[in-house]
Amino acid sequence: MKLEKLLTEIDYTLLQGDLNTDVVQIDYDSRKVINNSLFVCIVGANVDGHNFIDSVIDQGAKVIVVEKEVSYQSGITYIKVENSRIALALLSSAFFDYPSRKMTVIGITGTKGKTTTSYMLESILTKAHKKVGLIGTIGSIVNGVFHETKNTTPESFELQSLMYEMVENGCEYCVMEVSSQGLMLHRVAGIDFDYGIFTNLSPDHIGKNEHRDFNHYMSCKKMLFQMCKVGIFNKDDEHYLDMIDNAKCQILTYSIHQDSDLQGYDIHLSQGEGTLGVSFKTRGLINDTFETDIPGEFSVYNSLVAIMICQQLSIETPYIKQALKLVRVSGRVEIVPIHQPYTVIIDYAHNALSFDSILSTISAYHPHRLICVYGAGGKRDKKRRYDVGEVVAKYHAYSILTADNPRGESVHDICMDIVEGINRIGGDYTIIEDRKDAIHYALSIAQKDDVILCLGKGHETYQIIDKEPIPFSEKEIIKKYYNI
């Protein structure tokens, strides 16, 4: 593609060279540059792409996009922009011929619920015989084919490439999780969002190389609603009014506790053999009854989003009902089918907030005992360890403490930090450092109507003991225990 065409929607200054230059590839990673590449100099947390200009030119790059003053080499085209991350996103969109404009794009942001909501939507649309793509924490799906992705919201070039693949495969819809990092780092710049969804907001991702404080975290989330046509907001969240402030989209709301465009009510928890679910009624945009086999009140909130979007897309209600009843999300309150008189659940919960959410949810079903297998990440804030231990003790659950990505740190020391939190309230615990052994122990002591919660790993299929990940799947360990 000609450079001039790539720059159509970008404010730039031509410092040197020729806009008629052919570009065969866009790169921001110097290791991937080939002949006739365009290289965008990104300033990262640890690495500055401007320091690699000479090496990428040696590798064949013919166009360099910068946001700083640099020295020039003859025969190379230099483009100056104000923000190279935004430029990368817009260049990538142009390179793939603006794929987001060829689909209905639904973006979901919030602290919790993004993954489950996205899978609910993907399931309903697929059930309604629509071609759909999904991008999120677990990975991406294009017409039912799964791809691994590194981040919840991939870097803009990879994101546009995925969307291009969706278009090429005939996808009519793209459902994507939009992380605060993805918004802050402009990975979604240039995407034509038809719908933006706000699930909920609570402190998360605050610290070095993330968000400096909660207000910054919230302001990044709000960016989605300056980019989409229709915004769908959780009216029950305490930050609802903050989130709609300065929104540039049409505003629709959903709720359980107050009047809204779609309200859920008459909520009932349900239990079956190997299932924990919830049923509820709706009024407003749709007046009907729905159920899902994902437990808890938060599942009602996630379902309301999916129902509301599909109503906007004119998806027939029977498809919504069928898909919500059948949907399962890997590692998100996922019940492992073991055909025993007790329940085993794996979940991605890895901080005090998410621990509290799942423990309160499962406690509402009045299990005989709650048994929690969990640990805490190594090389991370110790306060998180105290807090998760305290939360588990608050719900009178039995803690089996073990490894969870220790990253070279002593598993025993991490567990003793968690014990400090448990002791704030008082509770029973056992330390079994090997996570497989810990899971086996939990299964060996299970009794009728117990619920075993394996927390922290969720969909992950690895364990980071030192620096490198090694294969580890809780689901497979549980299935093998029962010869399933």
Side-chain angles (χ1 to χ4, degrees):
M1 188 176 290
K2 295 295 183 184
L3 175 60
E4 186 173 26
K5 187 175 180 182
L6 289 174
L7 294 168
T8 302
E9 299 190 2
I10 298 176
D11 291 327
Y12 67 93
T13 301
L14 176 64
L15 300 174
Q16 173 184 290
D18 185 359
L19 294 180
N20 199 42
T21 302
D22 285 315
V23 173
V24 300
Q25 182 169 297
I26 296 174
D27 294 296
Y28 60 93
D29 183 338
S30 62
R31 296 165 296 184
K32 297 180 179 179
V33 170
I34 61 173
N35 198 40
N36 292 321
S37 278
L38 178 154
F39 182 72
V40 183
C41 298
I42 298 293
V43 180
N46 302 306
V47 178
D48 186 345
H50 294 81
N51 297 330
F52 295 87
I53 291 175
D54 289 343
S55 65
V56 299
I57 290 173
D58 288 343
Q59 290 166 242
K62 294 295 189 291
V63 180
I64 308 294
V65 176
V66 300
E67 62 178 46
K68 297 180 178 181
E69 295 298 325
V70 297
S71 57
Y72 308 148
Q73 289 192 36
S74 62
I76 303 299
T77 298
Y78 292 85
I79 302 293
K80 178 81 177 292
V81 295
E82 184 175 340
N83 187 309
S84 56
R85 286 191 177 276
I86 295 176
L88 174 62
L90 298 180
L91 286 163
S92 300
S93 179
F95 186 79
F96 290 107
D97 196 22
Y98 309 102
S100 69
R101 299 176 187 177
K102 301 171 184 177
M103 298 181 288
T104 297
V105 181
I106 303 159
I108 307 167
T109 199
T111 304
K112 297 178 298 191
K114 297 187 297 296
T115 300
T116 299
T117 302
S118 67
Y119 271 78
M120 284 178 167
L121 277 167
E122 191 269 344
S123 296
I124 296 168
L125 292 170
T126 300
K127 178 67 72 174
H129 312 293
K130 307 296 183 181
K131 291 189 174 182
V132 57
L134 181 148
I135 302 170
T137 305
I138 297 174
S140 67
I141 298 173
V142 180
N143 275 353
V145 179
F146 179 81
H147 304 260
E148 287 191 4
T149 50
K150 186 177 179 181
N151 300 306
T152 296
T153 307
E155 189 53 81
S156 55
F157 183 82
E158 284 76 20
L159 187 53
Q160 294 290 342
S161 177
L162 275 169
M163 296 179 87
Y164 171 78
E165 183 182 348
M166 292 176 187
V167 171
E168 289 295 291
N169 280 274
C171 289
E172 305 160 77
Y173 301 91
C174 172
V175 180
M176 63 179 293
E177 298 180 48
V178 185
S179 68
S180 58
Q181 289 284 98
L183 288 157
M184 179 178 72
L185 299 176
H186 304 293
R187 291 174 184 162
V188 295
I191 291 180
D192 188 23
F193 285 101
D194 295 280
Y195 297 92
I197 296 163
F198 166 64
T199 60
N200 51 66
L201 199 65
S202 52
D204 200 9
H205 299 294
I206 297 168
K208 185 181 179 183
N209 299 333
E210 293 188 285
H211 301 284
R212 58 181 176 268
D213 55 33
F214 179 73
N215 283 336
H216 184 248
Y217 174 59
M218 180 166 60
S219 68
C220 290
K221 293 284 191 188
K222 290 171 67 172
M223 292 168 65
L224 177 61
F225 304 102
Q226 297 173 359
M227 303 171 64
C228 64
K229 299 179 181 71
V230 179
I232 295 177
F233 294 83
N234 177 359
K235 198 173 181 180
D236 290 341
D237 189 84
E238 62 179 311
H239 300 289
Y240 160 69
L241 291 176
D242 294 316
M243 290 301 296
I244 64 171
D245 184 44
N246 293 324
K248 296 180 179 178
C249 55
Q250 177 189 350
I251 294 173
L252 297 174
T253 60
Y254 64 98
S255 169
I256 288 175
H257 301 297
Q258 54 190 311
D259 289 338
S260 54
D261 294 298
L262 184 67
Q263 184 179 2
Y265 70 102
D266 197 18
I267 298 167
H268 295 281
L269 303 182
S270 58
Q271 286 182 264
E273 184 179 341
T275 64
L276 299 173
V278 61
S279 65
F280 59 97
K281 294 179 180 178
T282 62
R283 58 183 162 223
L285 292 173
I286 292 182
N287 301 307
D288 216 318
T289 301
F290 299 87
E291 60 180 320
T292 181
D293 283 343
I294 302 176
E297 185 178 84
F298 63 82
S299 294
V300 178
Y301 281 107
N302 296 336
S303 297
L304 288 173
V305 171
I307 294 165
M308 202 164 185
I309 286 285
C310 290
Q311 185 273 338
Q312 293 286 298
L313 299 175
S314 300
I315 302 298
E316 294 177 7
T317 302
Y319 292 128
I320 303 174
K321 287 189 170 189
Q322 292 167 30
L324 284 180
K325 176 63 178 172
L326 296 173
V327 67
R328 302 290 184 273
V329 186
S330 179
R332 299 305 194 276
V333 202
E334 182 181 3
I335 297 175
V336 183
I338 56 171
H339 308 296
Q340 298 292 328
Y342 47 86
T343 304
V344 180
I345 296 173
I346 58 175
D347 190 80
Y348 189 53
H350 53 276
N351 59 29
L353 184 71
S354 51
F355 268 53
D356 194 271
S357 177
I358 188 169
L359 283 161
S360 64
T361 293
I362 301 305
S363 293
Y365 290 84
H366 305 293
H368 174 240
R369 290 185 304 174
L370 270 175
I371 301 170
C372 296
V373 180
Y374 66 103
K379 311 296 184 183
R380 297 293 187 268
D381 183 5
K382 280 193 175 187
K383 184 178 183 300
R384 292 187 180 187
R385 304 171 188 178
Y386 311 145
D387 290 348
V388 294
E390 186 173 353
V391 168
V392 175
K394 181 178 79 171
Y395 286 95
H396 309 292
Y398 175 43
S399 293
I400 301 175
L401 305 178
T402 189
D404 183 352
N405 297 337
R407 300 182 179 89
E409 197 174 343
S410 163
V411 175
H412 185 267
D413 289 349
I414 294 173
C415 290
M416 291 309 297
D417 286 336
I418 299 173
V419 169
E420 186 171 329
I422 293 173
N423 287 339
R424 292 175 182 174
I425 293 179
D428 295 330
Y429 67 87
T430 298
I431 297 175
I432 302 176
E433 295 185 22
D434 182 275
R435 194 169 180 107
K436 179 179 178 181
D437 291 344
I439 293 169
H440 282 179
Y441 176 67
L443 300 176
S444 73
I445 64 170
Q447 300 173 12
K448 186 177 184 295
D449 297 328
D450 284 349
V451 174
I452 298 171
L453 294 172
C454 299
L455 303 174
K457 300 303 295 176
H459 65 279
E460 291 179 349
T461 56
Y462 60 85
Q463 179 84 287
I464 306 174
I465 303 298
D466 291 308
K467 291 184 178 180
E468 296 299 321
I470 59 173
F472 186 92
S473 169
E474 286 192 329
K475 194 186 302 185
E476 290 306 312
I477 287 168
I478 294 164
K479 286 183 174 181
K480 284 182 180 179
Y481 184 87
Y482 295 103
N483 295 315
I484 298 173

